[in-house]
Amino acid sequence: MVPPGKVVSDGIRGPSLAIVRGPERGTIFPLVLDETLIGRADSSHLELDDPAVSRVHARIERRTDGFYLSDLSSVAGTVLNGQRVAGPVLLRDGDEIAIGQIAFVFVLTPTASRGP
């Protein structure tokens, strides 16, 4: 669940995560912070309502050479393009990230033809 008060967008305008599987399918989460925490905790920047998601599950870091995904020792793990990761792993445009029952597509460069 992406709760009220959390940063969300109605379109892809820059680096972001597009939810492609789960109850919030179609939601776009812009990656505007240098560090984005993903998990069930209220303090997460991207809060997910899924019992398979740890309170503090994963992190996406913005670095000078790109965005990096790390699993934060979660029980269920973080999956990138079908492979479990510990991180940090450099994300590429179009990568699929699965956390619990929720899947995202990492969008680095939006295009006019791309949709959520």
Side-chain angles (χ1 to χ4, degrees):
M1 171 176 109
V2 180
K6 297 292 182 177
V7 178
V8 293
S9 173
D10 60 358
I12 300 173
R13 293 185 182 86
S16 56
L17 295 176
I19 300 177
V20 294
R21 185 180 69 230
E24 299 293 327
R25 185 173 186 253
T27 300
I28 308 300
F29 185 86
L31 296 171
V32 297
L33 303 172
D34 288 336
E35 177 180 83
T36 300
L37 295 176
I38 303 169
R40 279 193 349 258
D42 291 341
S43 60
S44 298
H45 301 111
L46 179 49
E47 185 181 346
L48 303 178
D49 185 20
D50 181 336
V53 175
S54 296
R55 289 182 49 73
V56 181
H57 196 103
R59 171 179 51 226
I60 296 178
E61 293 177 272
R62 179 193 306 256
R63 298 184 185 173
T64 56
D65 61 335
F67 289 82
Y68 286 79
L69 172 68
S70 298
D71 183 81
L72 300 176
S73 301
S74 68
V75 174
T78 300
V79 177
L80 177 65
N81 299 324
Q83 300 290 319
R84 191 169 174 155
V85 299
V89 177
L90 179 63
L91 292 172
R92 301 179 192 280
D93 194 39
D95 278 350
E96 183 173 304
I97 301 164
I99 297 176
Q101 299 299 312
I102 301 166
F104 309 88
V105 170
F106 173 70
V107 179
L108 182 60
T109 307
T111 63
S113 62
R114 186 188 308 254

